[in-house]
């Protein structure tokens, strides 16, 4: 995985300034834009296209707070996302109960359940942000993995036909 | 994405959906998850005194391939011994269901669930 922060020349941080991210993205997009490649050698043109694609990927990744959190965690503690993937059975039982609740809910119950899960998701993001600010990469990685089940539940609640 | 007929069959008519008593001594429960997609799978086996699996149940919240992988796994588990069950590989599930590369992790989840269920059963003996 390329370091999205390095690609954009930004310090790895959760509280990235959106304006700074946008500015860096636009500057680098101009710099590497394939349209300005006429007259360059084939190798330079290929390099330009590659850099341009990296810039696009990095921008897309860092704009999303969940992906940004994953990337910061990886900078703090390389390999932590993969290492913390197996969650304890107790947590998975809860995740299954949540999925059951989402699948079995009535239409009337939907708004309240949505609000409840959304609050949980927001709480996860706050705890992840705090862990990253305190340089606890592995803790953030565990919370990121756990939050995935809640984000999925929210998604399934809004879009139950997704196969 | 195009699912194979076998995946669709298991998805539409999942075999052995349900639960066994997780506190029973003869029952092993495996629960595993895939944080990449938020899928969670519970697989249970009931084992008799000779080490033969007499019943298997599953419950999976996930995509069609995850449901099909666990449904197929329960079919294969019934009637085998726990030693044979431990030999089941995700690649056999991939082959049987013609899973595409992006869905291989679903079969890995099923293999992990089988192993977790066997471990749980053994820890109770």
């Amino acid at each position: 995985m390329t370091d999205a922060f390095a690609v954009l020349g930004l310090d790895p941080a959760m509280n990235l300034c959106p304006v700074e991210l946008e500015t860096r993205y636009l500057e680098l997009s101009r710099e590497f834009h394939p349209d300005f490649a006429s007259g360059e050698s084939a190798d330079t043109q290929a390099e330009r296209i590659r850099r341009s694609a990296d810039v696009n990927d990095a921008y897309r990744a860092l704009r999303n707070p969940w992906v940004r959190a994953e990337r910061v965690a990886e900078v703090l503690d390389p390999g932590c996302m993969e290492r913390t993937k197996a969650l304890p059975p107790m947590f998975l039982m809860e995740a299954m109960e949540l999925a059951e609740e989402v699948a079995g809910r009535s239409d009337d119950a939907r708004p309240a359940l949505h609000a409840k899960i959304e609050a949980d998701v927001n709480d996860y993001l706050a705890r992840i942000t705090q862990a990253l600010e305190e340089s606890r990469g592995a803790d953030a990685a565990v919370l990121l993995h756990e939050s995935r089940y809640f984000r999925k539940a929210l998604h399934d609640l809004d879009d139950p036909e997704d196969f | 994405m195009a699912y194979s007929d076998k995946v669709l069959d298991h998805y539409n008519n999942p075999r052995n959906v349900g639960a066994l008593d997780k506190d029973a001594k003869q029952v092993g429960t495996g629960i595993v998850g895939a944080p990449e997609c938020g899928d969670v799978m519970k697989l249970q086996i009931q084992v008799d005194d000779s080490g033969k699996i007499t019943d298997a149940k599953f419950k999976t919240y996930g995509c069609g391939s995850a449901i099909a992988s666990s449904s197929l796994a329960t079919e294969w588990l019934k009637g085998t011994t726990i030693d044979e069950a431990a030999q089941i590989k995700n690649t056999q599930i991939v082959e049987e269901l013609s899973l595409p590369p992006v869905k291989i992790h679903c079969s890995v989840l099923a293999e992990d669930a089988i192993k977790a269920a066997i471990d749980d059963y053994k820890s109770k003996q």
Side-chain angles (χ1 to χ4, degrees), chain A residues 95-130:
Chain A
M96 183 154 257
E97 280 164 21
L98 179 69
E100 255 161 35
E101 200 180 346
V102 167
R105 60 108 190 92
S106 65
D107 279 346
D108 290 348
R110 192 145 114 168
L113 188 56
H114 184 103
K116 187 182 92 137
I117 302 172
E118 197 169 51
D120 288 336
V121 168
N122 291 336
D123 182 54
Y124 264 111
L125 190 57
R127 284 156 66 201
I128 289 163
T129 303
Q130 192 184 349

PDB file of all heavy atoms in Angstrom, chain A residues 95-130:
ATOM      1  N   ALA A  95     -21.954  -8.641  17.386  1.00  0.00           N
ATOM      2  CA  ALA A  95     -22.092  -8.205  15.995  1.00  0.00           C
ATOM      3  C   ALA A  95     -23.203  -8.989  15.314  1.00  0.00           C
ATOM      4  O   ALA A  95     -23.975  -8.456  14.515  1.00  0.00           O
ATOM      5  CB  ALA A  95     -20.766  -8.386  15.257  1.00  0.00           C
ATOM      6  N   MET A  96     -23.284 -10.294  15.666  1.00  0.00           N
ATOM      7  CA  MET A  96     -24.319 -11.129  15.062  1.00  0.00           C
ATOM      8  C   MET A  96     -25.708 -10.733  15.564  1.00  0.00           C
ATOM      9  O   MET A  96     -26.665 -10.678  14.794  1.00  0.00           O
ATOM     10  CB  MET A  96     -24.026 -12.595  15.372  1.00  0.00           C
ATOM     11  CG  MET A  96     -24.994 -13.534  14.728  1.00  0.00           C
ATOM     12  SD  MET A  96     -24.260 -15.144  14.455  1.00  0.00           S
ATOM     13  CE  MET A  96     -23.912 -15.118  12.733  1.00  0.00           C
ATOM     14  N   GLU A  97     -25.788 -10.427  16.854  1.00  0.00           N
ATOM     15  CA  GLU A  97     -27.068  -9.981  17.407  1.00  0.00           C
ATOM     16  C   GLU A  97     -27.524  -8.673  16.752  1.00  0.00           C
ATOM     17  O   GLU A  97     -28.703  -8.478  16.468  1.00  0.00           O
ATOM     18  CB  GLU A  97     -26.972  -9.796  18.924  1.00  0.00           C
ATOM     19  CG  GLU A  97     -27.084 -11.120  19.660  1.00  0.00           C
ATOM     20  CD  GLU A  97     -26.620 -11.051  21.103  1.00  0.00           C
ATOM     21  OE1 GLU A  97     -26.579  -9.936  21.653  1.00  0.00           O
ATOM     22  OE2 GLU A  97     -26.288 -12.107  21.657  1.00  0.00           O
ATOM     23  N   LEU A  98     -26.553  -7.798  16.495  1.00  0.00           N
ATOM     24  CA  LEU A  98     -26.877  -6.528  15.831  1.00  0.00           C
ATOM     25  C   LEU A  98     -27.404  -6.792  14.415  1.00  0.00           C
ATOM     26  O   LEU A  98     -28.413  -6.223  13.995  1.00  0.00           O
ATOM     27  CB  LEU A  98     -25.622  -5.638  15.767  1.00  0.00           C
ATOM     28  CG  LEU A  98     -25.798  -4.294  15.084  1.00  0.00           C
ATOM     29  CD1 LEU A  98     -26.688  -3.373  15.919  1.00  0.00           C
ATOM     30  CD2 LEU A  98     -24.449  -3.627  14.839  1.00  0.00           C
ATOM     31  N   ALA A  99     -26.733  -7.700  13.704  1.00  0.00           N
ATOM     32  CA  ALA A  99     -27.170  -8.040  12.340  1.00  0.00           C
ATOM     33  C   ALA A  99     -28.567  -8.653  12.357  1.00  0.00           C
ATOM     34  O   ALA A  99     -29.391  -8.389  11.481  1.00  0.00           O
ATOM     35  CB  ALA A  99     -26.164  -8.997  11.700  1.00  0.00           C
ATOM     36  N   GLU A 100     -28.825  -9.483  13.395  1.00  0.00           N
ATOM     37  CA  GLU A 100     -30.144 -10.107  13.550  1.00  0.00           C
ATOM     38  C   GLU A 100     -31.220  -9.046  13.775  1.00  0.00           C
ATOM     39  O   GLU A 100     -32.302  -9.104  13.200  1.00  0.00           O
ATOM     40  CB  GLU A 100     -30.136 -11.050  14.762  1.00  0.00           C
ATOM     41  CG  GLU A 100     -30.091 -12.506  14.381  1.00  0.00           C
ATOM     42  CD  GLU A 100     -29.636 -13.397  15.522  1.00  0.00           C
ATOM     43  OE1 GLU A 100     -29.951 -13.121  16.697  1.00  0.00           O
ATOM     44  OE2 GLU A 100     -28.932 -14.381  15.231  1.00  0.00           O
ATOM     45  N   GLU A 101     -30.876  -8.073  14.609  1.00  0.00           N
ATOM     46  CA  GLU A 101     -31.810  -6.988  14.926  1.00  0.00           C
ATOM     47  C   GLU A 101     -32.135  -6.197  13.654  1.00  0.00           C
ATOM     48  O   GLU A 101     -33.285  -5.848  13.398  1.00  0.00           O
ATOM     49  CB  GLU A 101     -31.179  -6.082  15.982  1.00  0.00           C
ATOM     50  CG  GLU A 101     -32.184  -5.239  16.736  1.00  0.00           C
ATOM     51  CD  GLU A 101     -31.521  -4.351  17.782  1.00  0.00           C
ATOM     52  OE1 GLU A 101     -30.338  -4.585  18.107  1.00  0.00           O
ATOM     53  OE2 GLU A 101     -32.190  -3.421  18.235  1.00  0.00           O
ATOM     54  N   VAL A 102     -31.106  -5.942  12.857  1.00  0.00           N
ATOM     55  CA  VAL A 102     -31.297  -5.177  11.617  1.00  0.00           C
ATOM     56  C   VAL A 102     -32.163  -5.964  10.641  1.00  0.00           C
ATOM     57  O   VAL A 102     -33.098  -5.424  10.044  1.00  0.00           O
ATOM     58  CB  VAL A 102     -29.929  -4.828  10.979  1.00  0.00           C
ATOM     59  CG1 VAL A 102     -30.108  -4.331   9.552  1.00  0.00           C
ATOM     60  CG2 VAL A 102     -29.212  -3.778  11.824  1.00  0.00           C
ATOM     61  N   ALA A 103     -31.874  -7.268  10.507  1.00  0.00           N
ATOM     62  CA  ALA A 103     -32.617  -8.092   9.552  1.00  0.00           C
ATOM     63  C   ALA A 103     -34.066  -8.279   9.982  1.00  0.00           C
ATOM     64  O   ALA A 103     -34.964  -8.361   9.146  1.00  0.00           O
ATOM     65  CB  ALA A 103     -31.924  -9.448   9.401  1.00  0.00           C
ATOM     66  N   GLY A 104     -34.301  -8.318  11.287  1.00  0.00           N
ATOM     67  CA  GLY A 104     -35.641  -8.632  11.777  1.00  0.00           C
ATOM     68  C   GLY A 104     -36.484  -7.424  12.140  1.00  0.00           C
ATOM     69  O   GLY A 104     -37.625  -7.566  12.560  1.00  0.00           O
ATOM     70  N   ARG A 105     -35.947  -6.238  11.949  1.00  0.00           N
ATOM     71  CA  ARG A 105     -36.669  -5.038  12.405  1.00  0.00           C
ATOM     72  C   ARG A 105     -37.906  -4.763  11.539  1.00  0.00           C
ATOM     73  O   ARG A 105     -37.936  -5.075  10.355  1.00  0.00           O
ATOM     74  CB  ARG A 105     -35.747  -3.825  12.409  1.00  0.00           C
ATOM     75  CG  ARG A 105     -35.159  -3.504  11.031  1.00  0.00           C
ATOM     76  CD  ARG A 105     -35.728  -2.298  10.394  1.00  0.00           C
ATOM     77  NE  ARG A 105     -35.300  -2.197   9.010  1.00  0.00           N
ATOM     78  CZ  ARG A 105     -35.969  -2.683   7.979  1.00  0.00           C
ATOM     79  NH1 ARG A 105     -37.089  -3.343   8.172  1.00  0.00           N
ATOM     80  NH2 ARG A 105     -35.525  -2.530   6.755  1.00  0.00           N
ATOM     81  N   SER A 106     -38.914  -4.168  12.176  1.00  0.00           N
ATOM     82  CA  SER A 106     -40.097  -3.735  11.425  1.00  0.00           C
ATOM     83  C   SER A 106     -39.815  -2.348  10.852  1.00  0.00           C
ATOM     84  O   SER A 106     -38.877  -1.681  11.277  1.00  0.00           O
ATOM     85  CB  SER A 106     -41.300  -3.667  12.363  1.00  0.00           C
ATOM     86  OG  SER A 106     -41.078  -2.654  13.330  1.00  0.00           O
ATOM     87  N   ASP A 107     -40.626  -1.939   9.885  1.00  0.00           N
ATOM     88  CA  ASP A 107     -40.433  -0.615   9.288  1.00  0.00           C
ATOM     89  C   ASP A 107     -40.562   0.495  10.325  1.00  0.00           C
ATOM     90  O   ASP A 107     -39.869   1.504  10.262  1.00  0.00           O
ATOM     91  CB  ASP A 107     -41.435  -0.388   8.157  1.00  0.00           C
ATOM     92  CG  ASP A 107     -40.973  -1.062   6.870  1.00  0.00           C
ATOM     93  OD1 ASP A 107     -39.780  -1.454   6.829  1.00  0.00           O
ATOM     94  OD2 ASP A 107     -41.780  -1.213   5.950  1.00  0.00           O
ATOM     95  N   ASP A 108     -41.475   0.277  11.289  1.00  0.00           N
ATOM     96  CA  ASP A 108     -41.674   1.293  12.329  1.00  0.00           C
ATOM     97  C   ASP A 108     -40.436   1.477  13.195  1.00  0.00           C
ATOM     98  O   ASP A 108     -40.148   2.567  13.668  1.00  0.00           O
ATOM     99  CB  ASP A 108     -42.850   0.884  13.247  1.00  0.00           C
ATOM    100  CG  ASP A 108     -44.177   0.985  12.516  1.00  0.00           C
ATOM    101  OD1 ASP A 108     -44.183   1.572  11.422  1.00  0.00           O
ATOM    102  OD2 ASP A 108     -45.189   0.474  13.038  1.00  0.00           O
ATOM    103  N   ALA A 109     -39.727   0.366  13.374  1.00  0.00           N
ATOM    104  CA  ALA A 109     -38.579   0.402  14.282  1.00  0.00           C
ATOM    105  C   ALA A 109     -37.324   0.975  13.613  1.00  0.00           C
ATOM    106  O   ALA A 109     -36.331   1.238  14.273  1.00  0.00           O
ATOM    107  CB  ALA A 109     -38.291  -1.002  14.801  1.00  0.00           C
ATOM    108  N   ARG A 110     -37.407   1.156  12.304  1.00  0.00           N
ATOM    109  CA  ARG A 110     -36.213   1.540  11.559  1.00  0.00           C
ATOM    110  C   ARG A 110     -35.577   2.870  11.983  1.00  0.00           C
ATOM    111  O   ARG A 110     -34.369   2.902  12.232  1.00  0.00           O
ATOM    112  CB  ARG A 110     -36.540   1.571  10.065  1.00  0.00           C
ATOM    113  CG  ARG A 110     -35.301   1.684   9.228  1.00  0.00           C
ATOM    114  CD  ARG A 110     -35.466   0.927   7.978  1.00  0.00           C
ATOM    115  NE  ARG A 110     -35.487   1.817   6.830  1.00  0.00           N
ATOM    116  CZ  ARG A 110     -35.389   1.394   5.584  1.00  0.00           C
ATOM    117  NH1 ARG A 110     -35.314   0.107   5.348  1.00  0.00           N
ATOM    118  NH2 ARG A 110     -35.397   2.213   4.592  1.00  0.00           N
ATOM    119  N   PRO A 111     -36.341   3.960  12.094  1.00  0.00           N
ATOM    120  CA  PRO A 111     -35.697   5.237  12.442  1.00  0.00           C
ATOM    121  C   PRO A 111     -34.943   5.192  13.772  1.00  0.00           C
ATOM    122  O   PRO A 111     -33.817   5.695  13.862  1.00  0.00           O
ATOM    123  CB  PRO A 111     -36.876   6.220  12.507  1.00  0.00           C
ATOM    124  CG  PRO A 111     -37.946   5.603  11.679  1.00  0.00           C
ATOM    125  CD  PRO A 111     -37.785   4.122  11.850  1.00  0.00           C
ATOM    126  N   ALA A 112     -35.559   4.565  14.781  1.00  0.00           N
ATOM    127  CA  ALA A 112     -34.918   4.509  16.100  1.00  0.00           C
ATOM    128  C   ALA A 112     -33.648   3.672  16.040  1.00  0.00           C
ATOM    129  O   ALA A 112     -32.613   4.029  16.619  1.00  0.00           O
ATOM    130  CB  ALA A 112     -35.886   3.938  17.125  1.00  0.00           C
ATOM    131  N   LEU A 113     -33.728   2.542  15.314  1.00  0.00           N
ATOM    132  CA  LEU A 113     -32.556   1.668  15.203  1.00  0.00           C
ATOM    133  C   LEU A 113     -31.450   2.374  14.431  1.00  0.00           C
ATOM    134  O   LEU A 113     -30.266   2.297  14.794  1.00  0.00           O
ATOM    135  CB  LEU A 113     -32.964   0.361  14.500  1.00  0.00           C
ATOM    136  CG  LEU A 113     -31.922  -0.758  14.468  1.00  0.00           C
ATOM    137  CD1 LEU A 113     -31.458  -1.112  15.869  1.00  0.00           C
ATOM    138  CD2 LEU A 113     -32.496  -2.000  13.778  1.00  0.00           C
ATOM    139  N   HIS A 114     -31.844   3.093  13.391  1.00  0.00           N
ATOM    140  CA  HIS A 114     -30.866   3.857  12.601  1.00  0.00           C
ATOM    141  C   HIS A 114     -30.123   4.851  13.493  1.00  0.00           C
ATOM    142  O   HIS A 114     -28.900   4.937  13.471  1.00  0.00           O
ATOM    143  CB  HIS A 114     -31.577   4.591  11.454  1.00  0.00           C
ATOM    144  CG  HIS A 114     -30.642   5.306  10.543  1.00  0.00           C
ATOM    145  ND1 HIS A 114     -30.289   4.821   9.309  1.00  0.00           N
ATOM    146  CD2 HIS A 114     -29.945   6.459  10.701  1.00  0.00           C
ATOM    147  CE1 HIS A 114     -29.433   5.648   8.747  1.00  0.00           C
ATOM    148  NE2 HIS A 114     -29.204   6.658   9.575  1.00  0.00           N
ATOM    149  N   ALA A 115     -30.889   5.582  14.281  1.00  0.00           N
ATOM    150  CA  ALA A 115     -30.293   6.597  15.169  1.00  0.00           C
ATOM    151  C   ALA A 115     -29.341   5.951  16.169  1.00  0.00           C
ATOM    152  O   ALA A 115     -28.254   6.470  16.447  1.00  0.00           O
ATOM    153  CB  ALA A 115     -31.403   7.355  15.892  1.00  0.00           C
ATOM    154  N   LYS A 116     -29.750   4.784  16.682  1.00  0.00           N
ATOM    155  CA  LYS A 116     -28.927   4.095  17.682  1.00  0.00           C
ATOM    156  C   LYS A 116     -27.594   3.643  17.075  1.00  0.00           C
ATOM    157  O   LYS A 116     -26.518   3.882  17.635  1.00  0.00           O
ATOM    158  CB  LYS A 116     -29.696   2.884  18.236  1.00  0.00           C
ATOM    159  CG  LYS A 116     -29.006   2.200  19.397  1.00  0.00           C
ATOM    160  CD  LYS A 116     -29.777   0.986  19.883  1.00  0.00           C
ATOM    161  CE  LYS A 116     -29.302  -0.239  19.192  1.00  0.00           C
ATOM    162  NZ  LYS A 116     -29.078  -1.443  19.830  1.00  0.00           N
ATOM    163  N   ILE A 117     -27.674   2.992  15.908  1.00  0.00           N
ATOM    164  CA  ILE A 117     -26.450   2.491  15.291  1.00  0.00           C
ATOM    165  C   ILE A 117     -25.568   3.652  14.828  1.00  0.00           C
ATOM    166  O   ILE A 117     -24.338   3.604  14.952  1.00  0.00           O
ATOM    167  CB  ILE A 117     -26.759   1.539  14.110  1.00  0.00           C
ATOM    168  CG1 ILE A 117     -27.620   0.376  14.591  1.00  0.00           C
ATOM    169  CG2 ILE A 117     -25.477   1.006  13.497  1.00  0.00           C
ATOM    170  CD1 ILE A 117     -28.124  -0.509  13.462  1.00  0.00           C
ATOM    171  N   GLU A 118     -26.206   4.705  14.324  1.00  0.00           N
ATOM    172  CA  GLU A 118     -25.438   5.871  13.872  1.00  0.00           C
ATOM    173  C   GLU A 118     -24.664   6.489  15.032  1.00  0.00           C
ATOM    174  O   GLU A 118     -23.501   6.892  14.877  1.00  0.00           O
ATOM    175  CB  GLU A 118     -26.383   6.906  13.257  1.00  0.00           C
ATOM    176  CG  GLU A 118     -25.662   7.928  12.404  1.00  0.00           C
ATOM    177  CD  GLU A 118     -26.644   8.764  11.596  1.00  0.00           C
ATOM    178  OE1 GLU A 118     -27.601   9.295  12.203  1.00  0.00           O
ATOM    179  OE2 GLU A 118     -26.459   8.856  10.381  1.00  0.00           O
ATOM    180  N   ALA A 119     -25.307   6.518  16.200  1.00  0.00           N
ATOM    181  CA  ALA A 119     -24.629   7.048  17.385  1.00  0.00           C
ATOM    182  C   ALA A 119     -23.421   6.174  17.737  1.00  0.00           C
ATOM    183  O   ALA A 119     -22.349   6.685  18.093  1.00  0.00           O
ATOM    184  CB  ALA A 119     -25.611   7.121  18.559  1.00  0.00           C
ATOM    185  N   ASP A 120     -23.601   4.838  17.621  1.00  0.00           N
ATOM    186  CA  ASP A 120     -22.488   3.925  17.887  1.00  0.00           C
ATOM    187  C   ASP A 120     -21.341   4.164  16.902  1.00  0.00           C
ATOM    188  O   ASP A 120     -20.174   4.173  17.284  1.00  0.00           O
ATOM    189  CB  ASP A 120     -22.955   2.467  17.767  1.00  0.00           C
ATOM    190  CG  ASP A 120     -23.850   2.050  18.939  1.00  0.00           C
ATOM    191  OD1 ASP A 120     -23.738   2.671  20.014  1.00  0.00           O
ATOM    192  OD2 ASP A 120     -24.652   1.118  18.763  1.00  0.00           O
ATOM    193  N   VAL A 121     -21.691   4.348  15.629  1.00  0.00           N
ATOM    194  CA  VAL A 121     -20.675   4.567  14.597  1.00  0.00           C
ATOM    195  C   VAL A 121     -19.905   5.860  14.881  1.00  0.00           C
ATOM    196  O   VAL A 121     -18.676   5.892  14.821  1.00  0.00           O
ATOM    197  CB  VAL A 121     -21.330   4.606  13.190  1.00  0.00           C
ATOM    198  CG1 VAL A 121     -20.350   5.110  12.138  1.00  0.00           C
ATOM    199  CG2 VAL A 121     -21.832   3.216  12.798  1.00  0.00           C
ATOM    200  N   ASN A 122     -20.636   6.915  15.237  1.00  0.00           N
ATOM    201  CA  ASN A 122     -19.977   8.184  15.544  1.00  0.00           C
ATOM    202  C   ASN A 122     -19.077   8.068  16.770  1.00  0.00           C
ATOM    203  O   ASN A 122     -18.003   8.660  16.819  1.00  0.00           O
ATOM    204  CB  ASN A 122     -21.022   9.290  15.763  1.00  0.00           C
ATOM    205  CG  ASN A 122     -21.730   9.640  14.460  1.00  0.00           C
ATOM    206  OD1 ASN A 122     -21.185   9.426  13.373  1.00  0.00           O
ATOM    207  ND2 ASN A 122     -22.934  10.164  14.558  1.00  0.00           N
ATOM    208  N   ASP A 123     -19.555   7.286  17.738  1.00  0.00           N
ATOM    209  CA  ASP A 123     -18.762   7.069  18.945  1.00  0.00           C
ATOM    210  C   ASP A 123     -17.462   6.341  18.601  1.00  0.00           C
ATOM    211  O   ASP A 123     -16.396   6.667  19.123  1.00  0.00           O
ATOM    212  CB  ASP A 123     -19.601   6.259  19.947  1.00  0.00           C
ATOM    213  CG  ASP A 123     -18.859   6.047  21.253  1.00  0.00           C
ATOM    214  OD1 ASP A 123     -18.424   7.053  21.835  1.00  0.00           O
ATOM    215  OD2 ASP A 123     -18.713   4.886  21.675  1.00  0.00           O
ATOM    216  N   TYR A 124     -17.564   5.358  17.698  1.00  0.00           N
ATOM    217  CA  TYR A 124     -16.359   4.650  17.259  1.00  0.00           C
ATOM    218  C   TYR A 124     -15.368   5.618  16.616  1.00  0.00           C
ATOM    219  O   TYR A 124     -14.175   5.579  16.913  1.00  0.00           O
ATOM    220  CB  TYR A 124     -16.718   3.533  16.268  1.00  0.00           C
ATOM    221  CG  TYR A 124     -16.866   2.188  16.925  1.00  0.00           C
ATOM    222  CD1 TYR A 124     -18.097   1.565  17.027  1.00  0.00           C
ATOM    223  CD2 TYR A 124     -15.760   1.539  17.461  1.00  0.00           C
ATOM    224  CE1 TYR A 124     -18.246   0.332  17.641  1.00  0.00           C
ATOM    225  CE2 TYR A 124     -15.889   0.298  18.071  1.00  0.00           C
ATOM    226  CZ  TYR A 124     -17.130  -0.294  18.166  1.00  0.00           C
ATOM    227  OH  TYR A 124     -17.250  -1.518  18.782  1.00  0.00           O
ATOM    228  N   LEU A 125     -15.869   6.472  15.737  1.00  0.00           N
ATOM    229  CA  LEU A 125     -14.968   7.394  15.042  1.00  0.00           C
ATOM    230  C   LEU A 125     -14.271   8.326  16.045  1.00  0.00           C
ATOM    231  O   LEU A 125     -13.077   8.607  15.915  1.00  0.00           O
ATOM    232  CB  LEU A 125     -15.730   8.203  13.980  1.00  0.00           C
ATOM    233  CG  LEU A 125     -14.848   9.015  13.026  1.00  0.00           C
ATOM    234  CD1 LEU A 125     -13.839   8.124  12.286  1.00  0.00           C
ATOM    235  CD2 LEU A 125     -15.700   9.762  12.004  1.00  0.00           C
ATOM    236  N   ALA A 126     -15.017   8.760  17.073  1.00  0.00           N
ATOM    237  CA  ALA A 126     -14.427   9.628  18.097  1.00  0.00           C
ATOM    238  C   ALA A 126     -13.328   8.883  18.864  1.00  0.00           C
ATOM    239  O   ALA A 126     -12.242   9.422  19.111  1.00  0.00           O
ATOM    240  CB  ALA A 126     -15.517  10.117  19.047  1.00  0.00           C
ATOM    241  N   ARG A 127     -13.617   7.605  19.210  1.00  0.00           N
ATOM    242  CA  ARG A 127     -12.625   6.826  19.971  1.00  0.00           C
ATOM    243  C   ARG A 127     -11.405   6.504  19.113  1.00  0.00           C
ATOM    244  O   ARG A 127     -10.275   6.477  19.597  1.00  0.00           O
ATOM    245  CB  ARG A 127     -13.267   5.541  20.494  1.00  0.00           C
ATOM    246  CG  ARG A 127     -14.171   5.820  21.703  1.00  0.00           C
ATOM    247  CD  ARG A 127     -15.217   4.748  21.868  1.00  0.00           C
ATOM    248  NE  ARG A 127     -14.669   3.451  22.203  1.00  0.00           N
ATOM    249  CZ  ARG A 127     -15.312   2.292  22.014  1.00  0.00           C
ATOM    250  NH1 ARG A 127     -16.516   2.297  21.470  1.00  0.00           N
ATOM    251  NH2 ARG A 127     -14.751   1.154  22.349  1.00  0.00           N
ATOM    252  N   ILE A 128     -11.642   6.247  17.832  1.00  0.00           N
ATOM    253  CA  ILE A 128     -10.532   5.959  16.911  1.00  0.00           C
ATOM    254  C   ILE A 128      -9.643   7.201  16.776  1.00  0.00           C
ATOM    255  O   ILE A 128      -8.416   7.120  16.843  1.00  0.00           O
ATOM    256  CB  ILE A 128     -11.089   5.514  15.533  1.00  0.00           C
ATOM    257  CG1 ILE A 128     -11.704   4.121  15.637  1.00  0.00           C
ATOM    258  CG2 ILE A 128      -9.996   5.543  14.470  1.00  0.00           C
ATOM    259  CD1 ILE A 128     -12.634   3.747  14.482  1.00  0.00           C
ATOM    260  N   THR A 129     -10.290   8.351  16.606  1.00  0.00           N
ATOM    261  CA  THR A 129      -9.547   9.602  16.463  1.00  0.00           C
ATOM    262  C   THR A 129      -8.692   9.856  17.706  1.00  0.00           C
ATOM    263  O   THR A 129      -7.513  10.213  17.598  1.00  0.00           O
ATOM    264  CB  THR A 129     -10.531  10.778  16.250  1.00  0.00           C
ATOM    265  OG1 THR A 129     -11.335  10.482  15.106  1.00  0.00           O
ATOM    266  CG2 THR A 129      -9.789  12.085  16.021  1.00  0.00           C
ATOM    267  N   GLN A 130      -9.294   9.602  18.867  1.00  0.00           N
ATOM    268  CA  GLN A 130      -8.551   9.820  20.106  1.00  0.00           C
ATOM    269  C   GLN A 130      -7.350   8.866  20.206  1.00  0.00           C
ATOM    270  O   GLN A 130      -6.236   9.282  20.560  1.00  0.00           O
ATOM    271  CB  GLN A 130      -9.471   9.639  21.315  1.00  0.00           C
ATOM    272  CG  GLN A 130      -8.809  10.143  22.597  1.00  0.00           C
ATOM    273  CD  GLN A 130      -9.654   9.887  23.826  1.00  0.00           C
ATOM    274  OE1 GLN A 130     -10.823   9.523  23.721  1.00  0.00           O
ATOM    275  NE2 GLN A 130      -9.068  10.096  24.989  1.00  0.00           N
TER     276      GLN A 130
END
